[in-house]
Amino acid sequence: KGIRLEIEQRATQRSTAQMQTLLGGGRGHPWFVLEGIRRQHARAKPAGVITVYLHAVLADVYAHIPTVGAVIYPMIEKTLGVGIVWIRQRIEAIELNERDAQRLNVASGSYGLRVLRFYYDANERLLQCSDSRHAGHAFAYEMRLQRE
């Protein structure tokens, strides 16, 4: 809570084989891609680095995402008039690549945690994917589970 997204790069990219493995869909499908850092406040050390993929139907959302502080999925719901019905999440240990390690101020090859979140509408359409990478020593994840 209180973590803010700072967008460093924006691009439109056609799906590569690697992106296709992550996102599904056909090769060459266009995606809007945001690269950034997540941190507590402007001068805090990075809490994580993030890549966000937005479906091509989200051009209006992409155009209006602020450089700092955005929470994207409510913007999707408001703009498209559809709800994010479910989110799939995967957490995995990874070896940080050189670029991510440098941005997180750890040694290249250090282990970290990757959190992937996939945001779907009622038609099972993937609208957003966030790929966050965190230095292992600085990551904690807490949740509340309620029995039904």
Side-chain angles (χ1 to χ4, degrees):
K1 196 168 187 157
I3 299 286
R4 63 192 233 148
L5 169 62
E6 298 174 7
I7 297 170
E8 300 172 317
Q9 295 179 3
R10 298 169 185 256
T12 303
Q13 186 173 349
R14 295 225 172 253
S15 183
T16 63
Q18 183 179 0
M19 288 170 65
Q20 188 178 3
T21 299
L22 177 66
L23 304 169
R27 191 163 185 182
H29 178 82
W31 290 89
F32 297 109
V33 182
L34 305 168
E35 292 276 347
I37 290 179
R38 300 186 67 188
R39 61 176 95 225
Q40 289 284 349
H41 54 81
R43 293 189 302 249
K45 291 180 181 178
V49 295
I50 188 169
T51 306
V52 177
Y53 301 92
L54 298 173
H55 192 282
V57 299
L58 299 173
D60 195 45
V61 173
Y62 176 75
H64 291 95
I65 295 172
T67 302
V68 176
V71 179
I72 299 170
Y73 75 88
M75 294 174 70
I76 293 170
E77 292 177 322
K78 183 178 179 181
T79 301
L80 287 186
V82 300
I84 299 296
V85 175
W86 66 283
I87 301 168
R88 179 169 57 100
Q89 178 173 272
R90 176 183 171 95
I91 301 173
E92 60 189 11
I94 60 165
E95 188 174 323
L96 295 168
N97 65 35
E98 189 173 331
R99 182 171 183 258
D100 287 347
Q102 181 180 30
R103 293 166 73 207
L104 292 169
N105 300 312
V106 297
S108 183
S110 296
Y111 283 91
L113 287 171
R114 180 184 195 194
V115 179
L116 292 163
R117 289 191 181 126
F118 303 86
Y119 299 78
Y120 295 89
D121 68 10
N123 294 318
E124 301 284 321
R125 177 175 53 171
L126 177 62
L127 294 174
Q128 176 186 341
C129 172
S130 66
D131 180 353
S132 300
R133 285 91 60 207
H134 306 268
H137 73 278
F139 184 87
Y141 192 83
E142 183 177 323
M143 66 179 83
R144 176 181 170 184
L145 304 173
Q146 186 169 339
R147 293 175 48 184
E148 291 186 20

